[in-house]
Amino acid sequence: MMDAVSVTPAAAELIRSLRGQHGPLMFHQSGGCCDGSAPMCYPAGEFRTGSSDVLLAALTVDGVPEPVEFWMSTAQWELWKHTRLTVDVVPGRGSGFSLEAPEGVRFLIRSHLAASGSGP
C-alpha cells in the first residue's frame, strides 16, 4: 500500500531545521478558513488531536530522530482520501501559527489522485 503523505527534499530540509530549533514536530491540516489548505507545523503534542482527526502518516525524515506525525481532520480526509499528498515548501509567509512562518517560507500540500486502495 502506498503511503498517503510524503515530503519533498525542500520540505525535509526545513523540517530538519525546525526540529533543531523546536524539538519533535507534528503537522495538522484542518481544512478550515484562512490557511486551511496549508499544513500547520507545531511542536509535537502542542496541537490537540481528537476523534475528529485522523493520523495519515508518521513521516520518516532523514536527520530527524523520530517520526513526524501528519494529522488531518476526518471531514477533510473524506474529501481527499483518493489523493496522495506531498508536503512541500515555497517562499512567502503563511499562517502565523505554523513554526515556519518566521522563516519567510510556508509549507503547502501538493496532491494527485492515488491508485485505488491507497491511504492510511
Side-chain angles (χ1 to χ4, degrees), residues 33-104:
C33 69
C34 306
D35 276 336
S37 61
M40 299 290 134
C41 183
Y42 302 99
E46 186 171 299
F47 184 92
R48 289 188 159 194
T49 57
S51 61
S52 63
D53 299 296
V54 60
L55 177 61
L56 298 185
L59 302 168
T60 300
V61 178
D62 287 341
V64 175
E66 65 282 318
V68 179
E69 292 184 345
F70 188 99
W71 293 83
M72 183 180 279
S73 70
T74 302
Q76 185 170 1
W77 179 242
E78 282 301 311
L79 298 172
W80 288 26
K81 66 185 174 186
H82 301 294
T83 61
R84 179 160 163 69
L85 308 174
T86 303
V87 179
D88 200 358
V89 63
V90 294
R93 187 170 166 90
S95 170
F97 298 115
S98 194
L99 289 176
E100 82 282 4
E103 307 293 323

Side-chain angles (χ1 to χ4, degrees), residues 97-116:
F97 298 115
S98 194
L99 289 176
E100 82 282 4
E103 307 293 323
V105 294
R106 63 187 178 95
F107 287 111
L108 64 81
I109 287 293
R110 299 189 189 279
S111 64
H112 65 273
L113 290 177
S116 181

